[in-house]
Amino acid sequence: SAVISQKPSRDICQRGTSLTIQCQVDSQVTMMFWYRQQPGQSLTLIATANQGSEATYESGFVIDKFPISRPNLTFSTLTVSNMSPEDSSIYLCSVDNPRRYNEQFFGPGTRLTVL
Amino acid sequence: RKEVEQDPGPFNVPEGATVAFNCTYSNSASQSFFWYRQDCRKEPKLLMSVYSSGNEDGRFTAQLNRASQYISLLIRDSKLSDSATYLCAVNMREYGNKLVFGAGTILRVKS
């Protein structure tokens, strides 16, 4: 499986600021995804990061709040903008497995706390 | 009704026991199914993929019942190290490569 890294691994931020999370993969992948996992809950897909075009956002998530970049096939960023305590969560990127249909592998996650 | 629902747990079982979790899904057009394992404060790790009727890997067996729209995960001879949260994920073709996750089932294996 692909080796996926995320930066930062954790951060504590002040209300109203923004944080950009990076996701790096050691091989080229077609699909990259961003998920949120709030305490004690399951994963919710925020958006699909498309290389060369705008991200595709899920219901309840908007580009102004969660801008995403995907400059190439191995890298993506997610920005959490104008943060509030409700944004405290774990943010995970995942990538598809080109050899097995619909399989996804996850990065280690970024644990965000907003004060 | 949620798109993917799981037994909430927690399941508390002794070492050596056999335990089974169920996961029901609402969309009959779902194509592929996955079980992930998530340890505390870690990312989900893929445990098994199910594309047809089922899959088996050592002590773990996943079975798909399309008629009743559920998949199950059976763990035999439970180990202490099996303690984790097990997440079911379902792909729905009309949503491209999107996976929808269940809320997870907590398993605690005790000595």
Side-chain angles (χ1 to χ4, degrees), chain A residues 1 6 15 45:
Chain A
S1 62
Q6 283 186 235
R15 181 195 300 260
L45 181 63

Side-chain angles (χ1 to χ4, degrees), chain A residues 41-42, chain B residues 5-9 35 85-88 101-106:
Chain A
Q41 298 191 23
S42 190
Chain B
E5 294 197 79
Q6 294 186 240
D7 289 347
W35 283 102
T85 298
Y86 290 84
L87 300 167
C88 166
F101 282 81
T105 299
I106 297 172

